[in-house]
Amino acid sequence: MSINKLIASFNNYLPLNQQEQEDLAKRVTERRIKRRQFILQEGDLCNHYIFVVEGCFKLYHIDKKGIEHNLQFIAENDWIMELDSFYSEKPSRVYIEAIEPSLILQIKRPDLYYLFTNHPKFDRNFRVIVENRYVELENRVLQNISSTAEERYLSFLDQYPHLSLRLPNTQIASYLGITPEFLSKIRKEIVKK
Amino acid sequence: MSINKLIASFNNYLPLNQQEQEDLAKRVTERRIKRRQFILQEGDLCNHYIFVVEGCFKLYHIDKKGIEHNLQFIAENDWIMELDSFYSEKPSRVYIEAIEPSLILQIKRPDLYYLFTNHPKFDRNFRVIVENRYVELENRVLQNISSTAEERYLSFLDQYPHLSLRLPNTQIASYLGITPEFLSKIRKEIVKK
DNA sequence: CTTAACCCTTAAACTATGTTAAGGGTATTT
DNA sequence: AAATACCCTTAACATAGTTTAAGGGTTAAG
């Protein structure tokens, strides 16, 4: 069952006891999501913390010119949320969309607050989840800052070999911050070598 | 006294009770830092969470070409740390350097862990600190992704009016991800309008 | 089975930003 | 007070990445 996958994932941090597991299970809802279905749109409030049981999502922003920028891909065993919207309860500036048929578990804001208040271990565990997410984002910024598009592409292939097969190049280009045409040029260069 | 500034800053989150305040005060060390002094260098381990009482720091990365990239400026009432190094206990890839004479309070890793374990409220408060930091970083990424250098400069001036006066343009350019020469060109364009 | 939607590549012209080099101005340091 | 280090600007030239446009291939939808 999918809840077991969630409980297992907490073992990476502080494992949950019986009581905590039950309280968590009671507050989690399972949902099937179709390809291209949104679980958050710009302007909406992010009301859930979401755990991906299977499938894959992209989190992206659309700029004034209408160009999509992929900020993150989120696949199995990882968490999705838009923190700014979730905690400040203000409209999201990003979209979260399934790029494959997916299965998720979601926790509503008041339910998460219930868990925080009644089991401090969740404060701890969600602190660690956010810390990890922060480190990932910081690494991405460091990467972008100090590499060319080609280097970023190569290290994307290296770091996410599974994703690079599952995603079209347009999506990868958007993640790398370049146009698909330029990615094409880069790929040609790489083959030459 | 500077510890009061720290305690006051927790009132933005969950206020501390008497016992928590005392336990915190016992585990905090005050340090004066000179201009240009490092509190963290690449390759070192980040062993402290640091609260800035007064002054200002820059957190930056040096790339293969030897170019400095400012990731953050941190001023009064804010926290500095290199999360990846602090929690994973691996060498830092960034430098943290005072750009003004400063006064800080630092907490050692084991002391922070003591506070986490004995007062769950610290788990909560530091969860919120990291969440805020994450949101800031995400905003920066969104900005960088969808604006020109000129737009980024204008919104930097807007968002950090105090910093823009305290910092030389070379530092601002490094934060914006452009060369000082190009910033110069931008400033000229802006004056023209 | 056919059409439409999407995806990938190429190439030429273009633009934002970087590089190099030089001159003059202000702070720090000696 | 002189010397050094740092900072800001300008301008000519270089380059990484974008834009536009076009052709062909593949997948999804009617």
Side-chain angles (χ1 to χ4, degrees), chain A residues 47-89:
Chain A
N47 291 314
H48 299 88
Y49 244 74
I50 288 172
F51 180 77
V52 182
V53 179
E54 47 180 79
C56 189
F57 293 82
K58 60 177 177 177
L59 185 155
Y60 61 95
H61 172 67
I62 300 189
D63 70 19
K64 312 151 219 145
K65 290 189 197 157
I67 298 167
E68 286 185 20
H69 301 276
N70 286 158
L71 294 173
Q72 274 176 49
F73 298 113
I74 308 108
E76 304 82 26
N77 283 308
D78 213 344
W79 290 90
I80 326 178
M81 60 269 172
E82 181 20 21
L83 276 186
D84 198 14
S85 172
F86 186 85
Y87 287 112
S88 317
E89 305 196 30

Coordinates of all heavy atoms in Angstrom, one line a residue, chain A residues 47-89:
Chain A
N47 N -2.6 24.3 -0.8 CA -3.2 23.8 0.4 C -2.7 22.5 0.9 O -3.2 22.0 2.0 CB -4.7 23.8 0.3 CG -5.3 25.2 0.2 OD1 -4.9 26.1 0.9 ND2 -6.2 25.4 -0.8
H48 N -1.8 21.9 0.2 CA -1.4 20.5 0.5 C 0.2 20.4 0.4 O 0.8 21.0 -0.4 CB -2.0 19.5 -0.4 CG -3.5 19.5 -0.4 ND1 -4.2 20.3 -1.2 CD2 -4.3 18.7 0.3 CE1 -5.5 20.0 -1.0 NE2 -5.6 19.1 -0.1
Y49 N 0.6 19.5 1.3 CA 2.0 18.9 1.1 C 1.7 17.6 0.4 O 0.8 16.9 0.8 CB 2.6 18.6 2.5 CG 3.8 19.4 2.8 CD1 3.7 20.8 3.2 CD2 5.1 18.8 2.8 CE1 4.9 21.5 3.5 CE2 6.2 19.5 3.1 CZ 6.1 20.9 3.5 OH 7.2 21.6 3.8
I50 N 2.5 17.3 -0.6 CA 2.2 16.2 -1.4 C 3.4 15.3 -1.6 O 4.5 15.7 -1.8 CB 1.8 16.7 -2.8 CG1 0.3 17.3 -2.7 CG2 1.8 15.5 -3.8 CD1 -0.1 17.9 -3.9
F51 N 3.2 14.0 -1.4 CA 4.2 13.0 -1.5 C 3.9 12.2 -2.7 O 2.8 11.7 -3.0 CB 4.2 12.1 -0.2 CG 5.2 11.0 -0.2 CD1 6.5 11.3 0.1 CD2 4.8 9.7 -0.6 CE1 7.5 10.3 0.1 CE2 5.8 8.7 -0.6 CZ 7.1 9.0 -0.2
V52 N 4.9 12.0 -3.6 CA 4.8 11.3 -4.8 C 5.1 9.8 -4.6 O 6.2 9.4 -4.3 CB 5.7 11.8 -5.9 CG1 5.4 11.1 -7.3 CG2 5.5 13.3 -6.1
V53 N 4.0 9.0 -4.8 CA 4.2 7.6 -4.7 C 4.7 7.0 -6.0 O 5.7 6.2 -6.0 CB 2.9 6.9 -4.3 CG1 3.0 5.4 -4.2 CG2 2.3 7.5 -3.0
E54 N 4.1 7.4 -7.1 CA 4.7 7.0 -8.4 C 4.3 8.0 -9.4 O 3.3 8.8 -9.3 CB 4.2 5.6 -8.8 CG 2.7 5.4 -8.7 CD 2.3 4.0 -9.1 OE1 2.5 3.1 -8.4 OE2 1.7 3.9 -10.3
G55 N 5.2 8.1 -10.5 CA 4.9 9.1 -11.5 C 6.0 10.3 -11.4 O 7.0 10.1 -10.7
C56 N 5.6 11.4 -12.1 CA 6.6 12.5 -12.1 C 5.9 13.8 -12.4 O 4.9 13.8 -13.2 CB 7.7 12.2 -13.2 SG 9.0 13.3 -13.2
F57 N 6.3 14.9 -11.8 CA 5.7 16.2 -12.0 C 6.8 17.2 -12.4 O 8.0 17.0 -12.1 CB 5.1 16.6 -10.7 CG 3.9 15.8 -10.3 CD1 4.1 14.6 -9.6 CD2 2.6 16.2 -10.6 CE1 3.0 13.8 -9.3 CE2 1.5 15.5 -10.2 CZ 1.7 14.3 -9.6
K58 N 6.3 18.3 -13.0 CA 7.2 19.4 -13.2 C 6.6 20.6 -12.5 O 5.4 20.8 -12.4 CB 7.4 19.7 -14.6 CG 6.2 20.1 -15.4 CD 6.5 20.4 -16.9 CE 5.3 20.7 -17.7 NZ 5.5 21.1 -19.0
L59 N 7.5 21.4 -11.9 CA 7.1 22.7 -11.2 C 7.7 23.8 -12.0 O 8.9 23.8 -12.2 CB 7.6 22.6 -9.8 CG 7.2 23.8 -8.9 CD1 7.3 23.3 -7.4 CD2 8.1 25.0 -9.0
Y60 N 6.8 24.6 -12.6 CA 7.4 25.7 -13.5 C 6.7 27.0 -13.3 O 5.6 27.1 -12.8 CB 7.3 25.2 -14.9 CG 5.9 24.9 -15.5 CD1 5.2 25.9 -16.2 CD2 5.3 23.7 -15.3 CE1 3.9 25.7 -16.6 CE2 4.0 23.4 -15.8 CZ 3.3 24.4 -16.4 OH 2.1 24.2 -16.9
H61 N 7.4 28.0 -13.8 CA 6.9 29.4 -13.8 C 6.7 29.9 -15.2 O 7.5 29.5 -16.1 CB 7.9 30.2 -13.1 CG 7.7 31.7 -13.1 ND1 6.6 32.3 -12.5 CD2 8.3 32.7 -13.7 CE1 6.6 33.6 -12.7 NE2 7.7 33.9 -13.5
I62 N 5.7 30.7 -15.5 CA 5.6 31.3 -16.8 C 5.9 32.8 -16.7 O 5.3 33.5 -15.9 CB 4.1 31.0 -17.4 CG1 3.8 29.5 -17.5 CG2 4.0 31.7 -18.7 CD1 2.6 29.2 -18.2
D63 N 6.8 33.2 -17.5 CA 7.2 34.6 -17.4 C 6.3 35.5 -18.2 O 5.4 35.1 -18.9 CB 8.7 34.8 -17.7 CG 9.1 34.6 -19.2 OD1 8.1 34.6 -20.0 OD2 10.2 34.3 -19.5
K64 N 6.7 36.8 -18.2 CA 5.8 37.8 -18.9 C 5.7 37.5 -20.4 O 4.7 37.9 -21.0 CB 6.4 39.2 -18.8 CG 6.8 39.7 -17.4 CD 8.0 40.7 -17.5 CE 9.0 40.4 -16.4 NZ 10.4 40.6 -16.8
K65 N 6.7 37.0 -21.0 CA 6.7 36.7 -22.4 C 5.9 35.4 -22.7 O 5.8 35.0 -23.8 CB 8.1 36.5 -22.9 CG 8.9 37.8 -23.0 CD 10.2 37.6 -23.8 CE 11.2 38.6 -23.5 NZ 12.6 38.2 -23.8
G66 N 5.5 34.7 -21.6 CA 4.7 33.5 -21.8 C 5.6 32.2 -21.9 O 5.2 31.2 -22.3
I67 N 6.9 32.4 -21.6 CA 7.8 31.3 -21.6 C 7.8 30.5 -20.3 O 7.9 31.1 -19.3 CB 9.3 31.7 -21.9 CG1 9.3 32.4 -23.3 CG2 10.2 30.6 -21.9 CD1 10.5 33.2 -23.6
E68 N 7.7 29.2 -20.5 CA 7.8 28.3 -19.3 C 9.2 28.0 -18.8 O 10.1 27.8 -19.6 CB 7.1 26.9 -19.6 CG 5.6 26.9 -19.8 CD 5.1 25.5 -20.0 OE1 5.8 24.5 -19.7 OE2 4.0 25.4 -20.5
H69 N 9.4 28.1 -17.5 CA 10.7 27.8 -17.0 C 10.5 26.7 -15.9 O 10.0 26.9 -14.9 CB 11.3 29.0 -16.3 CG 11.5 30.2 -17.2 ND1 12.6 30.3 -18.0 CD2 10.7 31.2 -17.5 CE1 12.5 31.4 -18.7 NE2 11.4 32.0 -18.4
N70 N 11.1 25.5 -16.2 CA 11.0 24.4 -15.2 C 12.0 24.6 -14.1 O 13.2 24.8 -14.3 CB 11.4 23.1 -15.9 CG 10.3 22.6 -16.8 OD1 10.5 21.8 -17.7 ND2 9.1 23.0 -16.6
L71 N 11.5 24.7 -12.9 CA 12.3 24.9 -11.7 C 12.7 23.5 -11.1 O 13.8 23.4 -10.7 CB 11.6 25.7 -10.7 CG 11.3 27.1 -11.1 CD1 10.4 27.8 -10.0 CD2 12.6 27.9 -11.2
Q72 N 11.8 22.6 -11.2 CA 12.1 21.3 -10.6 C 11.3 20.2 -11.3 O 10.2 20.4 -11.7 CB 11.6 21.3 -9.1 CG 12.4 21.8 -8.1 CD 11.6 21.8 -6.7 OE1 11.1 20.8 -6.4 NE2 11.6 22.9 -6.1
F73 N 11.9 19.0 -11.3 CA 11.2 17.8 -11.6 C 11.1 17.0 -10.2 O 12.0 17.0 -9.5 CB 11.9 16.9 -12.6 CG 12.0 17.6 -13.9 CD1 13.3 18.0 -14.4 CD2 10.9 17.9 -14.7 CE1 13.4 18.6 -15.6 CE2 11.1 18.6 -15.9 CZ 12.3 18.9 -16.4
I74 N 9.9 16.5 -10.0 CA 9.7 15.7 -8.7 C 9.2 14.3 -9.1 O 8.1 14.2 -9.7 CB 8.8 16.4 -7.8 CG1 9.2 17.9 -7.6 CG2 8.8 15.7 -6.4 CD1 8.3 18.9 -8.2
A75 N 9.9 13.3 -8.7 CA 9.5 11.9 -9.0 C 9.2 11.1 -7.7 O 9.2 11.7 -6.6 CB 10.5 11.3 -9.9
E76 N 9.1 9.8 -7.8 CA 8.8 8.9 -6.7 C 9.6 9.2 -5.5 O 10.8 9.5 -5.5 CB 9.1 7.5 -7.1 CG 8.4 6.9 -8.3 CD 9.2 7.3 -9.6 OE1 10.4 7.5 -9.5 OE2 8.6 7.4 -10.6
N77 N 8.9 9.1 -4.3 CA 9.5 9.2 -3.0 C 10.0 10.6 -2.7 O 10.8 10.8 -1.8 CB 10.7 8.2 -2.9 CG 10.2 6.8 -2.7 OD1 9.4 6.6 -1.8 ND2 10.6 5.9 -3.5
D78 N 9.5 11.6 -3.4 CA 9.9 12.9 -3.1 C 8.6 13.8 -2.8 O 7.5 13.4 -3.1 CB 10.7 13.5 -4.2 CG 11.7 14.5 -3.7 OD1 11.7 14.9 -2.6 OD2 12.6 14.8 -4.5
W79 N 8.9 14.9 -2.2 CA 7.8 15.8 -1.8 C 7.6 17.0 -2.7 O 8.6 17.5 -3.2 CB 8.0 16.4 -0.4 CG 7.9 15.4 0.7 CD1 9.0 14.6 1.2 CD2 6.8 15.0 1.5 NE1 8.5 13.8 2.2 CE2 7.2 14.0 2.4 CE3 5.4 15.5 1.4 CZ2 6.2 13.5 3.3 CZ3 4.6 14.9 2.3 CH2 4.9 13.9 3.2
I80 N 6.4 17.4 -3.0 CA 6.1 18.6 -3.8 C 5.3 19.5 -2.9 O 4.4 19.1 -2.2 CB 5.2 18.4 -5.0 CG1 5.4 17.0 -5.6 CG2 5.3 19.5 -5.9 CD1 4.4 16.8 -6.7
M81 N 5.7 20.8 -3.0 CA 4.9 21.8 -2.4 C 5.4 23.2 -2.9 O 6.4 23.3 -3.5 CB 5.0 21.8 -0.9 CG 6.4 22.1 -0.4 SD 7.4 20.5 -0.2 CE 9.0 21.1 0.2
E82 N 4.6 24.2 -2.7 CA 5.0 25.5 -3.0 C 5.0 26.2 -1.7 O 4.0 26.7 -1.2 CB 4.1 26.1 -4.1 CG 4.3 27.5 -4.6 CD 5.7 28.1 -4.4 OE1 6.7 27.4 -4.3 OE2 5.7 29.4 -4.5
L83 N 6.2 26.2 -1.0 CA 6.3 26.7 0.3 C 5.7 28.1 0.6 O 5.0 28.3 1.5 CB 7.8 26.7 0.8 CG 8.4 25.4 1.3 CD1 9.8 25.6 1.8 CD2 7.5 24.8 2.4
D84 N 6.1 29.0 -0.3 CA 5.7 30.4 -0.1 C 4.2 30.5 -0.1 O 3.6 31.1 0.8 CB 6.2 31.2 -1.3 CG 6.2 32.7 -1.0 OD1 6.1 33.0 0.2 OD2 6.3 33.5 -1.9
S85 N 3.5 29.8 -1.0 CA 2.0 29.8 -1.0 C 1.5 29.0 0.2 O 0.5 29.4 0.8 CB 1.5 29.2 -2.3 OG 0.1 29.1 -2.3
F86 N 2.1 27.9 0.5 CA 1.5 27.0 1.5 C 1.5 27.7 2.9 O 0.5 27.7 3.6 CB 2.4 25.7 1.6 CG 1.8 24.7 2.6 CD1 0.8 23.8 2.2 CD2 2.3 24.6 3.9 CE1 0.3 22.9 3.1 CE2 1.8 23.7 4.8 CZ 0.8 22.8 4.3
Y87 N 2.6 28.3 3.3 CA 2.7 28.9 4.6 C 2.2 30.3 4.7 O 1.5 30.7 5.6 CB 4.2 28.8 5.1 CG 4.6 27.4 5.5 CD1 5.5 26.8 4.8 CD2 4.0 26.8 6.6 CE1 5.9 25.5 5.1 CE2 4.3 25.5 6.9 CZ 5.3 24.8 6.2 OH 5.7 23.6 6.6
S88 N 2.4 31.1 3.7 CA 1.9 32.5 3.7 C 0.5 32.6 3.2 O -0.1 33.7 3.3 CB 2.8 33.4 2.8 OG 4.2 33.1 3.0
E89 N 0.0 31.5 2.7 CA -1.4 31.5 2.2 C -1.6 32.6 1.2 O -2.6 33.3 1.2 CB -2.4 31.5 3.3 CG -2.2 30.4 4.3 CD -3.4 30.1 5.2 OE1 -4.5 30.3 4.8 OE2 -3.2 29.6 6.4

